[in-house]
Amino acid sequence: MSIELFRQERHVCVMFSRLGDEGGDAVQSNQFLLVNGGTGAILDPGGNIAYHELYLGMSAFFPPHKLAAVLASHADPDIIASLDRWMTATEAPVYISRLWERFAPHFCKPGKTLGRVVGLPDAGERLRLGSGQDLFELWALPAHFLHAEGNFQFYDPVSRILFSGDLGASLGANLDPEKPVTALAGHIPRMEGFHRRYMVSNKVLRLWASMVRGLDIQMIAPQHGAPMVGAAVGEFIDWVEQLECGIDLFGAANYRVPG
């Protein structure tokens, strides 16, 4: 039910890609577990249909009370609809944009999130998680309007994986999310429709591309579909930098009272 994206001594990155497989009723989504020694973080834990197997997968590496953080790129249900269960089963705080800080508790029973929601500033932050010999860093990178108003991606400087949320998503019945993409050209049809509708504008894509070109990225791991490695990383950055999407494509014809 999972594949290792990276392993180096005590540092492991694991992707779960089929936990939400409900006969095609739910969109395919990936959940990520980052392990550092005796602790770790869950990235975009998903909905209730993903919870049980993800919890068991995490428990194979460290006990639940050692979980250092739940990280949410934004507040969509396929990102954190299972938050109530994570707040019950672990002691971890949840990190999310300040814009969604007061919305996240709506996924939980009253009082469950009290003192446990950490709002990320718009500028992002280098998060220091865990403690002692298990201390590790994750960088929360601003990715606003890609597609949510308050949106973050998470960069692991050890594995050099960029966990990109919805940006980089690919969809399709014949897509194998466990098979990394090494060249972008044949992959674009699985991405184009999604990005043209779900990303807000070319302006923010260009700003994002300018930011991430300064990072050493070995893999882009999106929340839907297959990770991108090798040449596909740079090719994806170049592709979205030129992509018209969202409000670039909308006009008066899209805002008419239905007949």
Side-chain angles (χ1 to χ4, degrees), residues 58-73:
M58 175 193 72
S59 301
F61 288 94
F62 53 81
H65 72 276
K66 292 290 188 179
L67 181 66
V70 175
L71 301 159
S73 56

Side-chain angles (χ1 to χ4, degrees), residues 5-8 11-14 33-36 43 137-138 154-163 216-221 229:
L5 302 179
F6 178 86
R7 177 181 285 269
Q8 183 182 86
H11 196 85
V12 185
C13 298
V14 182
L33 169 65
L34 196 156
V35 179
N36 194 73
L43 289 80
E137 273 198 1
L138 270 181
F154 298 98
Y155 176 74
D156 175 16
V158 177
S159 65
R160 294 171 290 174
I161 297 175
L162 177 63
F163 299 96
D216 178 4
I217 301 173
Q218 294 298 303
M219 175 185 290
I220 296 176
V229 298

